[in-house]
């Protein structure tokens, strides 16, 4: 399995405050703290976590919309974080994005065909006739009828707009697509169609997904591998099946327990989390989850748990993993 | 969902039918467009009319309006009607040139300052500095420094208006640059020029157009003021400001010398300002009816 995207020690800190001419107290927020992962060709890594855990910032750093404070992104073996200017612009054709809000990410003044052709024009791919054929092929691929090519985005439905956004992301044949909450704004019925489309497209083109979501039900459907984030750091990473069957981190277990049951008969006692997410500007000492953790012990207050493997491809950052497995 | 739909109301008016329907609901806008068009037509045809602003007739000076001279004559016997008609050319010409120059410069500066953070500080502090100087003082200083001439006057009047236009554009760009479709343009490999001209500029065109009409009107007044103060159009040229400056001395015995150009200026400026107001209402989705 060849690695197409590798994040090494990605960190993003924001400085708050400073006040009047920098005289006030400054606080540093670690929105993303030393996050590393790899994605193989044609694979899907899902990053899950609640609002504000830094998952969107990871996507933005990979796309170079936000500059990382530390760490690097390697795209097909090349350090994407070091590229500048024209070199960066040209390499962007290898990593594209599908947005959360399909209405907001399309220029309201451009027709559907113009929107899909834009990356081809910008990256100077194909000749004009070839571009026209490629746009038709992309419309077919994402299930949009060719009759819609002349339409403006406002004359398309939400699902059609998202298909258009996917067609645009596919246009330059990228190696990786970052999908940030790509189905969160869609109706449940359309959500399933779009997820199926994303899977079909992956099978046909071998594109890899970094799929960012807060919704484990969606993630379960599309993920090969899952990384669970809490307060800017990955706390558990495992193959999708294993994560759902044998979650090791207490936070992961709480997340999985919070998925609504499909039938009242399957309802079980919820291990709901108590308390609030601590402020990223004032992280607790030791383990960042300990304040809300049912298993917290003395060591959690003093030492930050390192990521360690508990099974092939399954890593967790928890001091009390064995306790969980015995209990589970 | 409501917000993005509302912001598209400009684009919604892209069919001829809806434009006509919208105009029918705004008679004041049509009347004012008609007034400005009439003045513009006058300015275009006045060289072909049998009116000469420079012919002196000392025997018939300071005559009150009559059938022969509808607007009367001035202190050297020139026709006030002829001079008022010719003055239309100066006022409209200066107004149009200033509006065009201000828009071009202000939009360029605003786009760059809003999108490129590194340029923002430098460009906008320069704009603040220009804004801090009273417009008339700046214009008079420029004219005094370089000497009166059509180009100098246009530049002198434009300078103090450019910062306002730049600020309007920059404010719009600061909002737009964070929107998903502009970020999408970056991800799709858009060059700076593509992003600014194709994705951002069309969305700030509405406010720019409105601002340009105000600049147009303000420029005509400023030109008249400069002429009135003797720092504008050379005195031998028939401009409304010059006429008012000369007429001031004869106000008690021959008020028509001052009154007619003043009325013309008032009507034209008012009409253009109303067009600006109406445009703002039409382009503003919040107040769409």
């Amino acid at each position: 399995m060849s690695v197409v995207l590798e994040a090494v020690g990605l960190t993003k800190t924001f400085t708050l405050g400073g006040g009047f001419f920098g005289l006030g107290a400054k606080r540093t927020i670690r929105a993303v703290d030393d996050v590393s992962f790899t994605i193989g060709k044609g694979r899907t890594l899902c990053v899950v976590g609640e609002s504000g855990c830094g998952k969107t910032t990871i996507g933005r750093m990979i796309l170079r919309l936000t500059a990382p404070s530390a760490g690097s992104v390697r795209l097909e073996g090349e350090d994407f974080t070091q590229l500048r200017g024209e070199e960066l612009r040209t390499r962007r054709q290898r990593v594209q994005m599908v947005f959360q809000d399909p209405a907001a990410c399309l220029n309201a003044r451009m027709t559907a065909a113009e929107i899909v052709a834009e990356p081809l024009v910008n990256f100077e791919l194909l000749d004009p006739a070839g571009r026209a054929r490629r746009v038709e092929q992309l419309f077919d691929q994402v299930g949009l009828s060719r009759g819609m090519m002349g339409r403006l985005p406002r004359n398309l439905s939400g699902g059609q707009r998202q298909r258009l956004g996917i067609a645009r992301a596919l246009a330059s044949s990228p190696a990786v697509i970052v999908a940030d909450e790509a189905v969160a704004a869609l109706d449940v019925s359309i959500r399933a169609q779009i997820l199926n489309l994303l899977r079909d497209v992956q099978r046909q083109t071998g594109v890899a997904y970094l799929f960012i979501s807060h919704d484990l039900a969606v993630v379960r459907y599309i993920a090969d591998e899952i990384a669970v984030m809490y307060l800017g750091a990955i706390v558990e990473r495992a193959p999708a099946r294993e994560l759902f069957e044998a979650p090791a981190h207490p936070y992961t277990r709480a997340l999985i327990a919070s998925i609504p049951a499909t039938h009242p008969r399957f309802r079980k006692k919820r291990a709901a989390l108590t308390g609030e997410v601590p402020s990223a500007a004032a992280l607790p000492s030791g383990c960042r989850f300990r304040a809300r953790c049912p298993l917290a012990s003395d060591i959690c207050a003093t030492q930050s748990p390192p990521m360690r493997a508990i099974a092939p491809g399954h890593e967790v950052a928890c001091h009390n993993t064995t306790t969980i497995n015995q209990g589970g | 969902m409501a917000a993005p739909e509302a912001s598209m109301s400009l684009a919604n008016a892209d069919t001829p039918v809806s434009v006509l329907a919208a105009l029918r609901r705004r008679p004041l806008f049509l009347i004012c467009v008609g007034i400005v068009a009439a003045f513009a037509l006058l300015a275009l045809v006045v060289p072909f009319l049998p009116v000469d602003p420079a012919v002196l007739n000392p025997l018939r000076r300071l005559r009150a309006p009559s059938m022969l001279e509808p607007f009367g004559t001035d202190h050297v016997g020139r026709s006030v009607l002829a001079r008022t008609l010719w003055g239309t050319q100066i006022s409209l010409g200066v107004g149009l040139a200033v509006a065009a120059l201000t828009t071009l410069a202000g939009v360029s500066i605003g786009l760059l300052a809003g999108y490129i953070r590194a340029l923002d500080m430098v460009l906008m502090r320069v704009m603040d500095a220009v804004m801090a100087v009273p417009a008339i003082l700046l214009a008079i200083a420029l004219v005094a420094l370089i000497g009166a001439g059509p180009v100098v006057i246009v530049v002198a009047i434009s300078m103090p208006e450019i910062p306002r236009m730049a600020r309007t554009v920059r404010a719009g760009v600061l909002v737009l640059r964070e929107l998903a479709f502009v970020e999408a343009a970056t991800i799709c490999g858009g060059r700076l020029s593509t992003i600014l001209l194709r994705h951002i500029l069309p969305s700030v065109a509405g406010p720019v157009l409105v601002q340009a009409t105000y600049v147009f009107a303000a420029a005509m007044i400023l030109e008249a003021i400069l002429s009135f103060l003797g720092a504008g159009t050379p005195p031998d040229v028939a401009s409304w400001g010059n006429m008012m400056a000369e007429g001031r001395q004869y106000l008690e015995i021959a008020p028509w010398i001052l009154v007619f150009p003043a009325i013309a200026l008032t009507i034209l400026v008012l009409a253009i300002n109303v067009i600006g107001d109406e445009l703002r209402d039409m382009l503003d989705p919040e107040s769409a009816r």
Side-chain angles (χ1 to χ4, degrees), chain B residues 211-230:
Chain B
Q211 183 73 24
T213 61
Y214 293 139
V215 170
F216 196 137
M220 292 194 306
I221 291 184
L222 214 55
E223 187 277 328
I225 292 174
L226 283 180
S227 296
F228 187 84
L229 296 174

mmCIF file with all atom_site columns, all heavy atoms in Angstrom, chain B residues 211-230:
data_model
loop_
_atom_site.group_PDB
_atom_site.id
_atom_site.type_symbol
_atom_site.label_atom_id
_atom_site.label_alt_id
_atom_site.label_comp_id
_atom_site.label_asym_id
_atom_site.label_entity_id
_atom_site.label_seq_id
_atom_site.pdbx_PDB_ins_code
_atom_site.Cartn_x
_atom_site.Cartn_y
_atom_site.Cartn_z
_atom_site.occupancy
_atom_site.B_iso_or_equiv
_atom_site.pdbx_formal_charge
_atom_site.auth_seq_id
_atom_site.auth_comp_id
_atom_site.auth_asym_id
_atom_site.auth_atom_id
_atom_site.pdbx_PDB_model_num
ATOM 1   N N   . GLN B 1 211 ? -21.335 53.845 -4.696  1.00 0.00 ? 211 GLN B N   1
ATOM 2   C CA  . GLN B 1 211 ? -20.319 54.806 -4.272  1.00 0.00 ? 211 GLN B CA  1
ATOM 3   C C   . GLN B 1 211 ? -19.920 55.701 -5.449  1.00 0.00 ? 211 GLN B C   1
ATOM 4   O O   . GLN B 1 211 ? -19.738 56.909 -5.293  1.00 0.00 ? 211 GLN B O   1
ATOM 5   C CB  . GLN B 1 211 ? -19.103 54.049 -3.729  1.00 0.00 ? 211 GLN B CB  1
ATOM 6   C CG  . GLN B 1 211 ? -18.000 54.923 -3.192  1.00 0.00 ? 211 GLN B CG  1
ATOM 7   C CD  . GLN B 1 211 ? -18.370 55.560 -1.859  1.00 0.00 ? 211 GLN B CD  1
ATOM 8   O OE1 . GLN B 1 211 ? -19.215 55.039 -1.136  1.00 0.00 ? 211 GLN B OE1 1
ATOM 9   N NE2 . GLN B 1 211 ? -17.770 56.684 -1.548  1.00 0.00 ? 211 GLN B NE2 1
ATOM 10  N N   . ALA B 1 212 ? -19.818 55.107 -6.640  1.00 0.00 ? 212 ALA B N   1
ATOM 11  C CA  . ALA B 1 212 ? -19.391 55.868 -7.820  1.00 0.00 ? 212 ALA B CA  1
ATOM 12  C C   . ALA B 1 212 ? -20.384 56.977 -8.150  1.00 0.00 ? 212 ALA B C   1
ATOM 13  O O   . ALA B 1 212 ? -19.984 58.070 -8.554  1.00 0.00 ? 212 ALA B O   1
ATOM 14  C CB  . ALA B 1 212 ? -19.213 54.929 -9.007  1.00 0.00 ? 212 ALA B CB  1
ATOM 15  N N   . THR B 1 213 ? -21.680 56.716 -7.962  1.00 0.00 ? 213 THR B N   1
ATOM 16  C CA  . THR B 1 213 ? -22.650 57.779 -8.257  1.00 0.00 ? 213 THR B CA  1
ATOM 17  C C   . THR B 1 213 ? -22.486 58.942 -7.286  1.00 0.00 ? 213 THR B C   1
ATOM 18  O O   . THR B 1 213 ? -22.593 60.102 -7.669  1.00 0.00 ? 213 THR B O   1
ATOM 19  C CB  . THR B 1 213 ? -24.097 57.265 -8.182  1.00 0.00 ? 213 THR B CB  1
ATOM 20  O OG1 . THR B 1 213 ? -24.348 56.804 -6.865  1.00 0.00 ? 213 THR B OG1 1
ATOM 21  C CG2 . THR B 1 213 ? -24.344 56.165 -9.184  1.00 0.00 ? 213 THR B CG2 1
ATOM 22  N N   . TYR B 1 214 ? -22.218 58.633 -6.012  1.00 0.00 ? 214 TYR B N   1
ATOM 23  C CA  . TYR B 1 214 ? -22.006 59.715 -5.039  1.00 0.00 ? 214 TYR B CA  1
ATOM 24  C C   . TYR B 1 214 ? -20.755 60.519 -5.395  1.00 0.00 ? 214 TYR B C   1
ATOM 25  O O   . TYR B 1 214 ? -20.730 61.741 -5.287  1.00 0.00 ? 214 TYR B O   1
ATOM 26  C CB  . TYR B 1 214 ? -21.876 59.146 -3.622  1.00 0.00 ? 214 TYR B CB  1
ATOM 27  C CG  . TYR B 1 214 ? -23.155 58.539 -3.107  1.00 0.00 ? 214 TYR B CG  1
ATOM 28  C CD1 . TYR B 1 214 ? -23.152 57.362 -2.387  1.00 0.00 ? 214 TYR B CD1 1
ATOM 29  C CD2 . TYR B 1 214 ? -24.388 59.162 -3.342  1.00 0.00 ? 214 TYR B CD2 1
ATOM 30  C CE1 . TYR B 1 214 ? -24.328 56.800 -1.917  1.00 0.00 ? 214 TYR B CE1 1
ATOM 31  C CE2 . TYR B 1 214 ? -25.556 58.609 -2.881  1.00 0.00 ? 214 TYR B CE2 1
ATOM 32  C CZ  . TYR B 1 214 ? -25.534 57.425 -2.170  1.00 0.00 ? 214 TYR B CZ  1
ATOM 33  O OH  . TYR B 1 214 ? -26.686 56.879 -1.712  1.00 0.00 ? 214 TYR B OH  1
ATOM 34  N N   . VAL B 1 215 ? -19.707 59.815 -5.811  1.00 0.00 ? 215 VAL B N   1
ATOM 35  C CA  . VAL B 1 215 ? -18.471 60.489 -6.206  1.00 0.00 ? 215 VAL B CA  1
ATOM 36  C C   . VAL B 1 215 ? -18.754 61.405 -7.394  1.00 0.00 ? 215 VAL B C   1
ATOM 37  O O   . VAL B 1 215 ? -18.297 62.551 -7.445  1.00 0.00 ? 215 VAL B O   1
ATOM 38  C CB  . VAL B 1 215 ? -17.376 59.457 -6.557  1.00 0.00 ? 215 VAL B CB  1
ATOM 39  C CG1 . VAL B 1 215 ? -16.182 60.140 -7.196  1.00 0.00 ? 215 VAL B CG1 1
ATOM 40  C CG2 . VAL B 1 215 ? -16.953 58.705 -5.309  1.00 0.00 ? 215 VAL B CG2 1
ATOM 41  N N   . PHE B 1 216 ? -19.525 60.890 -8.340  1.00 0.00 ? 216 PHE B N   1
ATOM 42  C CA  . PHE B 1 216 ? -19.920 61.649 -9.532  1.00 0.00 ? 216 PHE B CA  1
ATOM 43  C C   . PHE B 1 216 ? -20.536 62.991 -9.115  1.00 0.00 ? 216 PHE B C   1
ATOM 44  O O   . PHE B 1 216 ? -20.099 64.077 -9.538  1.00 0.00 ? 216 PHE B O   1
ATOM 45  C CB  . PHE B 1 216 ? -20.940 60.806 -10.319 1.00 0.00 ? 216 PHE B CB  1
ATOM 46  C CG  . PHE B 1 216 ? -21.176 61.251 -11.733 1.00 0.00 ? 216 PHE B CG  1
ATOM 47  C CD1 . PHE B 1 216 ? -21.251 60.308 -12.752 1.00 0.00 ? 216 PHE B CD1 1
ATOM 48  C CD2 . PHE B 1 216 ? -21.346 62.587 -12.062 1.00 0.00 ? 216 PHE B CD2 1
ATOM 49  C CE1 . PHE B 1 216 ? -21.472 60.693 -14.065 1.00 0.00 ? 216 PHE B CE1 1
ATOM 50  C CE2 . PHE B 1 216 ? -21.576 62.984 -13.365 1.00 0.00 ? 216 PHE B CE2 1
ATOM 51  C CZ  . PHE B 1 216 ? -21.643 62.034 -14.365 1.00 0.00 ? 216 PHE B CZ  1
ATOM 52  N N   . ALA B 1 217 ? -21.533 62.917 -8.225  1.00 0.00 ? 217 ALA B N   1
ATOM 53  C CA  . ALA B 1 217 ? -22.228 64.127 -7.794  1.00 0.00 ? 217 ALA B CA  1
ATOM 54  C C   . ALA B 1 217 ? -21.294 65.049 -7.004  1.00 0.00 ? 217 ALA B C   1
ATOM 55  O O   . ALA B 1 217 ? -21.252 66.264 -7.236  1.00 0.00 ? 217 ALA B O   1
ATOM 56  C CB  . ALA B 1 217 ? -23.441 63.743 -6.956  1.00 0.00 ? 217 ALA B CB  1
ATOM 57  N N   . ALA B 1 218 ? -20.526 64.447 -6.087  1.00 0.00 ? 218 ALA B N   1
ATOM 58  C CA  . ALA B 1 218 ? -19.632 65.260 -5.256  1.00 0.00 ? 218 ALA B CA  1
ATOM 59  C C   . ALA B 1 218 ? -18.585 65.952 -6.113  1.00 0.00 ? 218 ALA B C   1
ATOM 60  O O   . ALA B 1 218 ? -18.209 67.096 -5.854  1.00 0.00 ? 218 ALA B O   1
ATOM 61  C CB  . ALA B 1 218 ? -18.958 64.376 -4.201  1.00 0.00 ? 218 ALA B CB  1
ATOM 62  N N   . ALA B 1 219 ? -18.122 65.271 -7.171  1.00 0.00 ? 219 ALA B N   1
ATOM 63  C CA  . ALA B 1 219 ? -17.079 65.830 -8.032  1.00 0.00 ? 219 ALA B CA  1
ATOM 64  C C   . ALA B 1 219 ? -17.581 67.076 -8.746  1.00 0.00 ? 219 ALA B C   1
ATOM 65  O O   . ALA B 1 219 ? -16.849 68.050 -8.894  1.00 0.00 ? 219 ALA B O   1
ATOM 66  C CB  . ALA B 1 219 ? -16.620 64.782 -9.043  1.00 0.00 ? 219 ALA B CB  1
ATOM 67  N N   . MET B 1 220 ? -18.851 67.040 -9.180  1.00 0.00 ? 220 MET B N   1
ATOM 68  C CA  . MET B 1 220 ? -19.387 68.216 -9.881  1.00 0.00 ? 220 MET B CA  1
ATOM 69  C C   . MET B 1 220 ? -19.453 69.413 -8.950  1.00 0.00 ? 220 MET B C   1
ATOM 70  O O   . MET B 1 220 ? -19.171 70.548 -9.340  1.00 0.00 ? 220 MET B O   1
ATOM 71  C CB  . MET B 1 220 ? -20.772 67.885 -10.444 1.00 0.00 ? 220 MET B CB  1
ATOM 72  C CG  . MET B 1 220 ? -20.685 66.862 -11.572 1.00 0.00 ? 220 MET B CG  1
ATOM 73  S SD  . MET B 1 220 ? -22.204 66.743 -12.507 1.00 0.00 ? 220 MET B SD  1
ATOM 74  C CE  . MET B 1 220 ? -23.357 66.440 -11.226 1.00 0.00 ? 220 MET B CE  1
ATOM 75  N N   . ILE B 1 221 ? -19.861 69.163 -7.694  1.00 0.00 ? 221 ILE B N   1
ATOM 76  C CA  . ILE B 1 221 ? -19.916 70.259 -6.721  1.00 0.00 ? 221 ILE B CA  1
ATOM 77  C C   . ILE B 1 221 ? -18.512 70.775 -6.439  1.00 0.00 ? 221 ILE B C   1
ATOM 78  O O   . ILE B 1 221 ? -18.264 71.983 -6.417  1.00 0.00 ? 221 ILE B O   1
ATOM 79  C CB  . ILE B 1 221 ? -20.597 69.779 -5.418  1.00 0.00 ? 221 ILE B CB  1
ATOM 80  C CG1 . ILE B 1 221 ? -22.072 69.514 -5.691  1.00 0.00 ? 221 ILE B CG1 1
ATOM 81  C CG2 . ILE B 1 221 ? -20.407 70.799 -4.303  1.00 0.00 ? 221 ILE B CG2 1
ATOM 82  C CD1 . ILE B 1 221 ? -22.858 69.124 -4.486  1.00 0.00 ? 221 ILE B CD1 1
ATOM 83  N N   . LEU B 1 222 ? -17.581 69.839 -6.254  1.00 0.00 ? 222 LEU B N   1
ATOM 84  C CA  . LEU B 1 222 ? -16.203 70.237 -5.945  1.00 0.00 ? 222 LEU B CA  1
ATOM 85  C C   . LEU B 1 222 ? -15.592 71.030 -7.096  1.00 0.00 ? 222 LEU B C   1
ATOM 86  O O   . LEU B 1 222 ? -14.879 72.012 -6.878  1.00 0.00 ? 222 LEU B O   1
ATOM 87  C CB  . LEU B 1 222 ? -15.365 68.980 -5.654  1.00 0.00 ? 222 LEU B CB  1
ATOM 88  C CG  . LEU B 1 222 ? -14.260 69.138 -4.613  1.00 0.00 ? 222 LEU B CG  1
ATOM 89  C CD1 . LEU B 1 222 ? -14.815 69.673 -3.296  1.00 0.00 ? 222 LEU B CD1 1
ATOM 90  C CD2 . LEU B 1 222 ? -13.564 67.811 -4.373  1.00 0.00 ? 222 LEU B CD2 1
ATOM 91  N N   . GLU B 1 223 ? -15.904 70.628 -8.325  1.00 0.00 ? 223 GLU B N   1
ATOM 92  C CA  . GLU B 1 223 ? -15.397 71.365 -9.488  1.00 0.00 ? 223 GLU B CA  1
ATOM 93  C C   . GLU B 1 223 ? -15.936 72.786 -9.477  1.00 0.00 ? 223 GLU B C   1
ATOM 94  O O   . GLU B 1 223 ? -15.208 73.762 -9.711  1.00 0.00 ? 223 GLU B O   1
ATOM 95  C CB  . GLU B 1 223 ? -15.807 70.632 -10.774 1.00 0.00 ? 223 GLU B CB  1
ATOM 96  C CG  . GLU B 1 223 ? -15.216 71.200 -12.054 1.00 0.00 ? 223 GLU B CG  1
ATOM 97  C CD  . GLU B 1 223 ? -15.988 72.390 -12.606 1.00 0.00 ? 223 GLU B CD  1
ATOM 98  O OE1 . GLU B 1 223 ? -17.236 72.436 -12.432 1.00 0.00 ? 223 GLU B OE1 1
ATOM 99  O OE2 . GLU B 1 223 ? -15.354 73.281 -13.179 1.00 0.00 ? 223 GLU B OE2 1
ATOM 100 N N   . ALA B 1 224 ? -17.236 72.906 -9.163  1.00 0.00 ? 224 ALA B N   1
ATOM 101 C CA  . ALA B 1 224 ? -17.848 74.238 -9.117  1.00 0.00 ? 224 ALA B CA  1
ATOM 102 C C   . ALA B 1 224 ? -17.213 75.075 -8.008  1.00 0.00 ? 224 ALA B C   1
ATOM 103 O O   . ALA B 1 224 ? -16.932 76.264 -8.191  1.00 0.00 ? 224 ALA B O   1
ATOM 104 C CB  . ALA B 1 224 ? -19.350 74.107 -8.896  1.00 0.00 ? 224 ALA B CB  1
ATOM 105 N N   . ILE B 1 225 ? -16.982 74.435 -6.852  1.00 0.00 ? 225 ILE B N   1
ATOM 106 C CA  . ILE B 1 225 ? -16.373 75.166 -5.736  1.00 0.00 ? 225 ILE B CA  1
ATOM 107 C C   . ILE B 1 225 ? -14.974 75.649 -6.121  1.00 0.00 ? 225 ILE B C   1
ATOM 108 O O   . ILE B 1 225 ? -14.602 76.801 -5.880  1.00 0.00 ? 225 ILE B O   1
ATOM 109 C CB  . ILE B 1 225 ? -16.311 74.286 -4.471  1.00 0.00 ? 225 ILE B CB  1
ATOM 110 C CG1 . ILE B 1 225 ? -17.724 74.021 -3.949  1.00 0.00 ? 225 ILE B CG1 1
ATOM 111 C CG2 . ILE B 1 225 ? -15.457 74.935 -3.391  1.00 0.00 ? 225 ILE B CG2 1
ATOM 112 C CD1 . ILE B 1 225 ? -17.786 73.060 -2.797  1.00 0.00 ? 225 ILE B CD1 1
ATOM 113 N N   . LEU B 1 226 ? -14.194 74.751 -6.749  1.00 0.00 ? 226 LEU B N   1
ATOM 114 C CA  . LEU B 1 226 ? -12.840 75.120 -7.159  1.00 0.00 ? 226 LEU B CA  1
ATOM 115 C C   . LEU B 1 226 ? -12.879 76.290 -8.137  1.00 0.00 ? 226 LEU B C   1
ATOM 116 O O   . LEU B 1 226 ? -12.107 77.245 -8.015  1.00 0.00 ? 226 LEU B O   1
ATOM 117 C CB  . LEU B 1 226 ? -12.121 73.930 -7.800  1.00 0.00 ? 226 LEU B CB  1
ATOM 118 C CG  . LEU B 1 226 ? -11.597 72.864 -6.834  1.00 0.00 ? 226 LEU B CG  1
ATOM 119 C CD1 . LEU B 1 226 ? -10.912 71.754 -7.611  1.00 0.00 ? 226 LEU B CD1 1
ATOM 120 C CD2 . LEU B 1 226 ? -10.642 73.484 -5.826  1.00 0.00 ? 226 LEU B CD2 1
ATOM 121 N N   . SER B 1 227 ? -13.777 76.223 -9.112  1.00 0.00 ? 227 SER B N   1
ATOM 122 C CA  . SER B 1 227 ? -13.902 77.311 -10.071 1.00 0.00 ? 227 SER B CA  1
ATOM 123 C C   . SER B 1 227 ? -14.321 78.590 -9.362  1.00 0.00 ? 227 SER B C   1
ATOM 124 O O   . SER B 1 227 ? -13.808 79.677 -9.636  1.00 0.00 ? 227 SER B O   1
ATOM 125 C CB  . SER B 1 227 ? -14.935 76.960 -11.141 1.00 0.00 ? 227 SER B CB  1
ATOM 126 O OG  . SER B 1 227 ? -14.499 75.845 -11.876 1.00 0.00 ? 227 SER B OG  1
ATOM 127 N N   . PHE B 1 228 ? -15.271 78.443 -8.432  1.00 0.00 ? 228 PHE B N   1
ATOM 128 C CA  . PHE B 1 228 ? -15.775 79.590 -7.679  1.00 0.00 ? 228 PHE B CA  1
ATOM 129 C C   . PHE B 1 228 ? -14.636 80.262 -6.920  1.00 0.00 ? 228 PHE B C   1
ATOM 130 O O   . PHE B 1 228 ? -14.541 81.482 -6.848  1.00 0.00 ? 228 PHE B O   1
ATOM 131 C CB  . PHE B 1 228 ? -16.860 79.112 -6.703  1.00 0.00 ? 228 PHE B CB  1
ATOM 132 C CG  . PHE B 1 228 ? -17.578 80.216 -5.996  1.00 0.00 ? 228 PHE B CG  1
ATOM 133 C CD1 . PHE B 1 228 ? -18.656 80.857 -6.587  1.00 0.00 ? 228 PHE B CD1 1
ATOM 134 C CD2 . PHE B 1 228 ? -17.185 80.608 -4.718  1.00 0.00 ? 228 PHE B CD2 1
ATOM 135 C CE1 . PHE B 1 228 ? -19.322 81.871 -5.929  1.00 0.00 ? 228 PHE B CE1 1
ATOM 136 C CE2 . PHE B 1 228 ? -17.840 81.627 -4.069  1.00 0.00 ? 228 PHE B CE2 1
ATOM 137 C CZ  . PHE B 1 228 ? -18.921 82.260 -4.670  1.00 0.00 ? 228 PHE B CZ  1
ATOM 138 N N   . LEU B 1 229 ? -13.739 79.436 -6.376  1.00 0.00 ? 229 LEU B N   1
ATOM 139 C CA  . LEU B 1 229 ? -12.610 79.975 -5.610  1.00 0.00 ? 229 LEU B CA  1
ATOM 140 C C   . LEU B 1 229 ? -11.482 80.437 -6.520  1.00 0.00 ? 229 LEU B C   1
ATOM 141 O O   . LEU B 1 229 ? -10.490 80.971 -6.061  1.00 0.00 ? 229 LEU B O   1
ATOM 142 C CB  . LEU B 1 229 ? -12.077 78.913 -4.636  1.00 0.00 ? 229 LEU B CB  1
ATOM 143 C CG  . LEU B 1 229 ? -13.043 78.483 -3.548  1.00 0.00 ? 229 LEU B CG  1
ATOM 144 C CD1 . LEU B 1 229 ? -12.468 77.335 -2.737  1.00 0.00 ? 229 LEU B CD1 1
ATOM 145 C CD2 . LEU B 1 229 ? -13.367 79.660 -2.625  1.00 0.00 ? 229 LEU B CD2 1
ATOM 146 N N   . GLY B 1 230 ? -11.634 80.202 -7.817  1.00 0.00 ? 230 GLY B N   1
ATOM 147 C CA  . GLY B 1 230 ? -10.611 80.625 -8.756  1.00 0.00 ? 230 GLY B CA  1
ATOM 148 C C   . GLY B 1 230 ? -9.458  79.644 -8.891  1.00 0.00 ? 230 GLY B C   1
ATOM 149 O O   . GLY B 1 230 ? -8.417  79.948 -9.449  1.00 0.00 ? 230 GLY B O   1
#
